[in-house]
């Protein structure tokens, strides 16, 4: 049963139709991910459903008695209030009812009040608030006015969650949250009893939370059952069919245009119906909203750096009584793609500055490479002049820009990032959040650099641009340092991940976030298996146990070396097959193919899990040698 719905919805911003006769329904218990390009109107649609904006035309229907909570990208909070008081606004009814019950007012219907208290769980509202604050890492006594933008987002999210509404409307809920908070939010939303509609570009988050994807594309809303992986497979098939249909239509239209322009003899034999059909085809072609162009990304690499970018030997950094970095060692080589992962405030920026030689360590040594030219995404974000035009932001004082060996006009370069030539002279303040991030990327890639430092570059970027940015960074010849909480983005870009393990300890893992999680889980399992044996052994026993391990270290044989080199490819192939099978299981087509096919797919998924585990174990054995 639908808890809310849009019928024939129309909404325009200026001359651009955001909703063009769109239809949508949110069912009870559904978790819907709303996706689409920046500027297509996703946030505007969410505001319409929250009652903050009105449709130009069409119908919005809500189930009677429906309670919904909307969390915007930039929440408005009382700056003078404490975090506890602001979050408690989400349980205002519970507070009021309990106060009425405890006051024992004779004019109140205490029976109804008690029944309502039981119904909404008002007896323990303080516990609900405290638990939510703890899980989101918020200090109940801090004033909201003292908080950063990321912490304010957490406060708004906490206020919405404690309300336990029928419908939760979230606009980019993962922005500014670290990996632990994102994983907790996934668990909370998947167990949420109400209906959920969220806007996010975090593909891993969508895969783990959403059970339906709705795409806002050229004014229309199209629904796809399953998670994001299932959507990708269905969308690729749909776009291919749309392109073929459009090509056939355009070919027929061209043939009819040739026919209508023929000489006198043809005009004598014209069919009135055929002429009318041609006129209708012209109208249909004019009204058709084609798929928008893609962002074309290129980067000025500049002069190559030396082979070694940085070499750190037991570096430490301490602020007051807190260890930020403790005895960290690493060697960064040219072409490495390094991801930095850790909770907010763990010290990722501090470690990064030490790697780049901008901050001296308290102890240890840092040896910098030669010919380093560094470009920062975060610094340019702070320096963005909202009054400047787009053209001046990219190329101040010149209409031309040098990208590697190419010379481009600034308007042509902006069009590569989906900014029309007419907008080149528009102020930056006129751009949406996603468009500003796209402009920042355009500015970043226009500067020659052999080291890129990207601090949360994925915020507000649409999924298509994210995928193109991944391809660019994967092919980039220089070195990349990437600070992000977008797991899929990190997995697709980085070659190794530096992870905060608490108390100032950092460790480098080969691969991305999933590789780190797999390796850390296996390490925890090994420690758990070894713990009883170590406890039972006499005190001197551990010393001789180390000797055989060191003694067995040797060079790999030719066959083992070949096997080690082939392992990543074999693992990647299995993971691709696994993603395809998961998409089948999350879709609807498989369940029309009979029980035998379903069992076959399910069994193969289990087999792949075992094969992947065996390959990962073999990889560890070979690397240990």
């Amino acid at each position: 049963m639908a808890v809310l719905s849009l019928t024939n919805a129309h909404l325009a911003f200026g001359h651009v139709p955001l909703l063009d006769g769109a239809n949508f329904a949110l069912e009870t218990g559904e978790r819907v991910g709303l996706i689409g390009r920046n500027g297509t109107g996703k946030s505007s649609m969410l505001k319409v459903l929250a009652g903050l904006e009105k449709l130009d035309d069409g119908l919005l229907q809500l189930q009677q008695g429906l309670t919904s909570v909307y969390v915007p990208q930039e929440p408005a909070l009382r700056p003078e209030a404490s975090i506890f008081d602001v979050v408690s606004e989400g349980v205002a009814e519970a507070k009021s009812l309990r106060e009425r019950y405890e006051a024992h007012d004779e004019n109140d219907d205490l029976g109804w009040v008690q029944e309502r208290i039981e119904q909404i769980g008002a007896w323990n509202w303080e516990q609900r608030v405290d638990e939510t604050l703890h899980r989101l890492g918020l200090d109940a006594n801090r004033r909201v006015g003292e908080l950063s933008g990321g912490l304010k987002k957490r406060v708004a999210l906490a206020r919405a969650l404690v309300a336990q509404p029928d419908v939760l409307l979230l606009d980019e809920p993962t922005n500014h949250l670290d990996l632990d908070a994102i994983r907790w939010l996934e668990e909370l939303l998947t167990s949420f009893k109400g209906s959920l509609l969220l806007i996010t570009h975090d593909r891993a988050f969508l895969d783990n939370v959403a059970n339906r994807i709705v795409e806002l594309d050229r004014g229309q809303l199209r629904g796809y059952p399953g998670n994001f992986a299932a959507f990708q497979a269905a969308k690729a098939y749909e776009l291919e069919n749309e392109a073929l249909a459009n090509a056939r239509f355009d070919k027929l239209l061209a043939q009819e245009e040739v026919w209508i322009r023929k000489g006198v003899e043809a005009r004598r034999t014209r069919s009135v119906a055929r002429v009318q059909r041609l006129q209708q085809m012209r109208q249909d072609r004019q009204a058709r909203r084609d798929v928008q162009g893609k962002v074309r990304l290129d980067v000025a690499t500049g002069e190559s750096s030396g082979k070694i970018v940085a070499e750190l030997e037991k570096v430490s950094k301490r602020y007051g009584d807190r260890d930020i970095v403790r005895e960290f060692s690493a060697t960064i080589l040219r072409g490495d793609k390094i991801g930095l992962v850790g909770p907010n405030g763990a010290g990722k920026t501090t470690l990064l500055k030490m790697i780049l030689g901008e901050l001296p360590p308290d102890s240890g040594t840092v040896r910098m490479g030669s010919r380093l030219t560094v470009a920062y995404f975060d610094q340019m974000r702070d320096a963005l002049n909202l009054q400047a035009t787009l053209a001046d932001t990219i190329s101040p004082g010149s209409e031309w820009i040098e990208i590697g060996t190419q010379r481009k006009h600034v308007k042509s370069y902006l069009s590569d990032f989906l900014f029309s030539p007419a907008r080149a002279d528009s102020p930056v303040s006129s751009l949406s959040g996603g468009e500003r991030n796209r402009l920042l990327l355009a500015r970043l890639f226009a500067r020659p650099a052999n080291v890129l430092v990207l601090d949360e570059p994925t915020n507000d970027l649409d999924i298509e641009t994210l995928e193109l940015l991944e391809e660019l960074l994967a092919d980039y010849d220089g070195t990349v340092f990437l600070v992000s909480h977008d797991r899929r983005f990190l997995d697709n870009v980085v070659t190794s991940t530096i992870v905060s393990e608490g108390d100032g300890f950092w460790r480098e893992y080969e691969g991305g976030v999933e590789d780190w999680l797999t390796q850390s889980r296996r390490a925890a399992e090994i420690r758990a298996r070894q713990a009883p044996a170590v406890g039972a052994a006499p005190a001197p026993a551990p010393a001789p146990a180390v000797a055989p391990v060191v003694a067995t270290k040797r060079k790999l044989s030719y066959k083992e070396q070949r096997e080690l080199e082939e392992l990543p490819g074999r693992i990647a192939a299995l993971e691709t097959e696994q993603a395809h099978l998961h998409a089948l299981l999350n879709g609807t087509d498989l369940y029309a193919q009979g029980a035998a096919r379903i069992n076959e797919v399910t069994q193969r998924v289990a087999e792949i899990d075992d094969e992947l585990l065996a390959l990962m174990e073999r990889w560890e054995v070979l690397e240990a040698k």
Side-chain angles (χ1 to χ4, degrees):
M1 181 179 178
V3 293
L4 58 82
S5 64
L6 289 173
T7 305
N8 196 27
H10 291 266
L11 182 67
F13 181 75
H15 66 284
V16 179
L18 303 177
L19 298 177
D20 192 6
N23 298 294
F24 170 74
L26 180 64
E27 303 290 332
T28 303
E30 266 196 320
R31 300 188 301 274
V32 176
L34 179 60
I35 65 172
R37 279 194 166 177
N38 296 132
T40 54
K42 300 186 299 297
S43 294
S44 297
M45 175 180 159
L46 219 59
K47 290 176 183 177
V48 167
L49 297 177
L52 302 177
E53 290 186 5
K54 300 292 184 183
L55 291 171
D56 297 335
D57 195 11
L59 180 64
L60 168 63
Q61 291 179 300
L62 305 176
Q63 195 179 75
Q64 188 174 6
L66 184 78
T67 60
S68 66
V69 176
Y70 165 64
V71 182
Q73 291 190 46
E74 301 296 335
L77 308 172
R78 291 184 291 134
E80 74 284 355
S82 70
I83 291 179
F84 186 88
D85 290 339
V86 169
V87 174
S88 299
E89 293 171 2
V91 289
E93 183 188 4
K95 289 175 60 179
S96 174
L97 285 171
R98 212 176 73 182
E99 288 170 0
R100 284 172 60 184
Y101 184 84
E102 292 171 350
H104 298 293
D105 191 333
E106 295 180 358
N107 296 323
D108 272 339
D109 182 357
L110 292 183
W112 176 87
V113 172
Q114 184 174 2
E115 182 181 346
R116 182 61 178 163
I117 287 174
E118 298 286 353
Q119 185 179 6
I120 67 173
W123 294 120
N124 61 344
W125 68 263
E126 296 100 336
Q127 182 181 343
R128 278 160 55 189
V129 172
D130 286 336
E131 180 182 349
T132 305
L133 293 178
H134 175 71
R135 297 299 297 270
L136 280 177
L138 296 169
D139 182 352
N141 299 316
R142 288 189 65 183
R143 284 181 62 251
V144 170
E146 302 171 354
L147 304 179
S148 66
L151 287 176
K152 287 179 181 176
K153 185 68 173 283
R154 291 192 186 202
V155 172
L157 190 58
R159 182 175 61 182
L161 294 172
V162 297
Q164 298 179 341
D166 299 319
V167 176
L168 197 53
L169 305 171
L170 304 180
D171 195 348
E172 294 288 0
T174 62
N175 278 4
H176 311 296
L177 296 184
D178 56 42
L179 286 177
D180 289 337
I182 290 173
R183 284 199 295 268
W184 169 77
L185 182 59
E186 287 177 351
E187 295 173 4
L188 186 142
L189 294 180
T190 50
S191 61
F192 179 61
K193 302 300 182 184
S195 303
L196 170 68
L197 178 61
L198 63 94
I199 298 170
T200 182
H201 300 132
D202 188 325
R203 292 156 292 177
F205 189 79
L206 282 171
D207 270 341
N208 295 333
V209 172
N211 54 25
R212 183 160 72 101
I213 300 295
V214 171
E215 184 186 30
L216 179 52
D217 180 25
R218 292 164 281 171
Q220 297 296 314
L221 292 162
R222 296 178 178 85
Y224 301 83
N227 60 10
F228 184 73
F231 158 77
Q232 281 184 306
K235 184 64 177 179
Y237 180 73
E238 183 181 285
L239 286 175
E240 183 179 349
N241 286 343
E242 180 182 347
L244 290 172
N246 286 343
R248 286 193 296 266
F249 180 93
D250 292 343
K251 183 179 180 180
L252 178 59
L253 177 59
Q255 291 171 348
E256 294 297 283
E257 292 288 3
V258 170
W259 169 80
I260 201 69
R261 288 172 174 79
K262 281 185 178 179
V264 177
E265 182 180 348
R267 285 198 294 272
R268 287 200 210 103
T269 58
R270 282 181 183 169
S271 164
V272 174
R274 190 171 179 182
V275 172
Q276 291 176 344
R277 185 182 70 165
L278 173 59
Q279 291 171 346
Q280 183 61 47
M281 289 177 70
R282 286 171 175 171
Q283 293 174 8
D284 292 344
R285 180 62 185 88
Q286 187 174 5
R288 189 169 83 200
R289 297 180 68 181
D290 289 321
V291 177
Q292 295 174 324
K294 293 185 176 182
V295 178
R296 292 186 294 275
L297 301 181
D298 198 3
V299 60
T301 308
E303 181 187 10
S304 296
S305 66
K307 183 177 180 180
I308 292 180
V309 173
E311 193 171 27
L312 292 79
E313 183 67 30
K314 293 187 176 180
V315 297
S316 298
K317 192 70 181 178
R318 186 181 181 89
Y319 287 119
D321 59 350
R322 182 183 169 211
D323 287 310
I324 305 298
V325 180
R326 187 185 296 185
E327 294 195 342
F328 176 71
S329 299
T331 300
I332 312 297
L333 301 178
R334 181 180 65 233
D336 284 350
K337 314 292 192 302
I338 310 293
L340 283 86
V341 174
N344 292 330
K348 297 187 290 291
T349 302
T350 299
L351 177 58
L352 195 51
K353 287 182 176 179
M354 286 199 293
I355 292 174
L356 297 174
E358 298 177 359
L359 185 67
D362 295 339
S363 61
T365 58
V366 177
R367 184 164 70 91
M368 298 302 302
S370 59
R371 303 187 303 278
L372 299 182
T373 310
V374 185
Y376 294 87
F377 184 71
D378 56 337
Q379 288 184 358
M380 290 190 297
R381 187 183 308 185
D382 295 337
L384 197 60
N385 181 0
L386 299 182
Q387 306 309 315
T389 66
L390 274 62
D392 285 340
T393 301
I394 299 298
S395 182
S398 174
E399 294 184 354
W400 298 90
I401 188 170
E402 302 286 341
I403 305 293
T405 59
Q406 297 181 341
R407 188 168 186 260
K408 280 190 175 184
H409 194 278
V410 66
K411 291 186 177 181
S412 174
Y413 182 69
L414 282 169
S415 69
D416 289 345
F417 290 82
L418 299 184
F419 295 110
S420 66
R423 300 187 69 183
D425 296 323
S426 301
V428 174
S429 58
S430 67
L431 303 180
S432 68
E435 288 173 325
R436 291 183 191 182
N437 248 21
R438 209 189 305 145
L439 181 67
L440 288 167
L441 288 173
R443 185 176 172 183
L444 173 75
F445 295 149
R447 297 184 172 182
N450 50 40
V451 177
L452 294 181
V453 179
L454 306 177
D455 188 358
E456 291 293 352
T458 62
N459 287 348
D460 301 318
L461 288 182
D462 57 58
I463 291 172
E464 189 173 12
T465 306
L466 281 178
E467 291 172 346
L468 291 167
L469 179 58
E470 288 172 354
E471 293 176 14
L472 175 81
L473 294 177
D475 295 336
Y476 178 58
D477 292 332
T479 307
V480 177
F481 293 96
L482 182 58
V483 179
S484 177
H485 300 306
D486 188 323
R487 293 156 291 178
R488 188 68 53 79
F489 188 75
L490 286 166
D491 285 339
N492 292 342
V493 172
V494 303
T495 56
S496 65
T497 308
I498 298 176
V499 181
S500 168
E501 299 193 328
D503 296 326
F505 288 106
W506 296 79
R507 182 177 174 184
E508 185 175 8
Y509 291 85
E510 292 296 322
V513 174
E514 288 301 321
D515 297 304
W516 154 53
L517 293 174
T518 300
Q519 293 174 61
S520 57
R521 276 196 300 266
R522 284 201 47 75
E525 292 171 3
I526 292 171
R527 285 195 299 270
R529 287 198 299 266
Q530 291 177 342
V534 171
V546 178
V549 177
V550 176
T552 57
K553 287 252 183 186
R554 58 178 176 80
K555 290 186 69 174
L556 296 176
S557 67
Y558 175 76
K559 183 178 178 181
E560 289 174 328
Q561 183 63 41
R562 286 292 302 275
E563 183 184 3
L564 181 60
E565 291 171 356
E566 292 172 356
L567 277 174
R570 293 170 63 188
I571 291 172
L574 283 174
E575 289 175 339
T576 301
E577 183 183 358
Q578 185 182 54
H580 173 69
L581 294 178
H582 280 304
L584 282 177
L585 290 170
N586 288 320
T588 56
D589 293 343
L590 175 65
Y591 300 94
Q593 299 177 19
R597 175 59 175 159
I598 296 172
N599 289 335
E600 178 187 343
V601 172
T602 306
Q603 184 177 350
R604 180 55 186 156
V605 168
E607 290 173 356
I608 289 176
D609 287 337
D610 294 338
E611 290 175 22
L612 280 173
L613 183 59
L615 289 178
M616 294 297 292
E617 289 175 345
R618 180 58 177 165
W619 197 351
E620 288 186 11
V621 169
L622 292 176
E623 283 197 327
K625 292 183 177 182

